Amino acid sequence: MLNSKIIGLLNDQINKELYSAYLYLDMSNYFEHKGLCGFANWYYIQAQEERDHAMLIYKYLHNNDVKVSLLPIAKPDKTFNNDLSVLEEALRHEEYVTALIHKIYAETELCNDYRTREFISWFVTEQDEEETNARDMINKLELFGTDGCGLYLLNKELAKREYEAPKGVNIE
């Protein structure tokens, strides 16, 4: 049986992951409107990943005989002034999500909830990857994005990204 505080944190994390999907969809929308379909693709796939993260937690709770409490998803409230501001917001958001995941992990330690700690450790590793990707995007845009040809090539590179379901974790 899961601890009630951990259940609350996991329910809240489902909401945060769905908000993340919504935020990334908004970022994709920004780039679609600008005609940077490669950037749009990259963030559209980010939205898919975040949705799947929510579903992983949803399924975990159900597998542990816990009824999920779905909460309202807030509308993204960020205004993007330029391409770099989108990428910087993505990094800030990933750092925020990392803090949320660390909070859940810390609570599993306090509650001696080894099963949930093992489950959430996948997210700890995933967040490291997410922050690295966000920083890499910023670095690439700063290096190549000020030049039209460089921006074109970076956009073309990002257009090649394909969606992959989370590895190592079964959402079925």
Side-chain angles (χ1 to χ4, degrees), residues 10-28 43-44 46-55 57 70-80 86 89-98 100 127:
L10 290 173
N11 265 304
D12 190 49
Q13 192 62 33
I14 291 170
N15 180 267
K16 301 297 187 203
E17 298 291 342
L18 291 172
Y19 172 80
S20 296
Y22 209 34
L23 177 64
Y24 284 132
L25 197 57
D26 194 36
M27 291 174 178
S28 178
Y43 283 106
Y44 183 81
Q46 279 300 109
Q48 290 177 295
E49 283 189 6
E50 301 302 336
R51 181 206 60 222
D52 280 355
H53 294 169
M55 297 312 296
I57 299 167
L70 297 174
L71 305 169
I73 303 168
K75 176 183 177 186
D77 63 351
K78 306 299 178 196
T79 302
F80 308 120
V86 178
E89 180 56 38
L91 176 58
R92 276 191 297 277
H93 185 72
E94 289 301 340
E95 290 169 340
Y96 166 70
V97 172
T98 297
L100 295 171
Q127 282 308 119

Side-chain angles (χ1 to χ4, degrees), residues 56-75:
L56 288 169
I57 299 167
Y58 173 90
K59 189 66 174 170
Y60 177 79
L61 287 171
H62 278 282
N63 287 345
N64 284 277
D65 202 29
V66 174
K67 184 177 183 214
V68 173
S69 298
L70 297 174
L71 305 169
I73 303 168
K75 176 183 177 186

Side-chain angles (χ1 to χ4, degrees), residues 48-156:
Q48 290 177 295
E49 283 189 6
E50 301 302 336
R51 181 206 60 222
D52 280 355
H53 294 169
M55 297 312 296
L56 288 169
I57 299 167
Y58 173 90
K59 189 66 174 170
Y60 177 79
L61 287 171
H62 278 282
N63 287 345
N64 284 277
D65 202 29
V66 174
K67 184 177 183 214
V68 173
S69 298
L70 297 174
L71 305 169
I73 303 168
K75 176 183 177 186
D77 63 351
K78 306 299 178 196
T79 302
F80 308 120
N81 301 319
N82 55 52
D83 301 345
L84 183 60
S85 71
V86 178
L87 278 58
E88 290 171 336
E89 180 56 38
L91 176 58
R92 276 191 297 277
H93 185 72
E94 289 301 340
E95 290 169 340
Y96 166 70
V97 172
T98 297
L100 295 171
I101 295 296
H102 287 177
K103 182 177 179 181
I104 296 168
Y105 190 91
E107 191 61 34
T108 66
E109 293 276 317
L110 291 173
C111 296
N112 296 320
D113 184 345
Y114 306 112
R115 183 183 318 164
T116 304
R117 183 173 62 193
E118 181 68 23
F119 171 74
I120 212 70
S121 68
W122 181 87
F123 288 89
V124 172
T125 303
E126 177 70 8
Q127 282 308 119
D128 180 54
E129 180 184 314
E130 296 288 8
E131 286 186 29
T132 298
N133 288 340
R135 278 191 293 279
D136 286 350
M137 291 279 288
I138 291 169
N139 291 336
K140 286 179 181 181
L141 186 63
E142 288 176 338
L143 282 170
F144 309 115
T146 55
D147 171 69
C149 185
L151 182 61
Y152 172 79
L153 291 174
L154 180 56
N155 187 61
K156 195 171 178 178

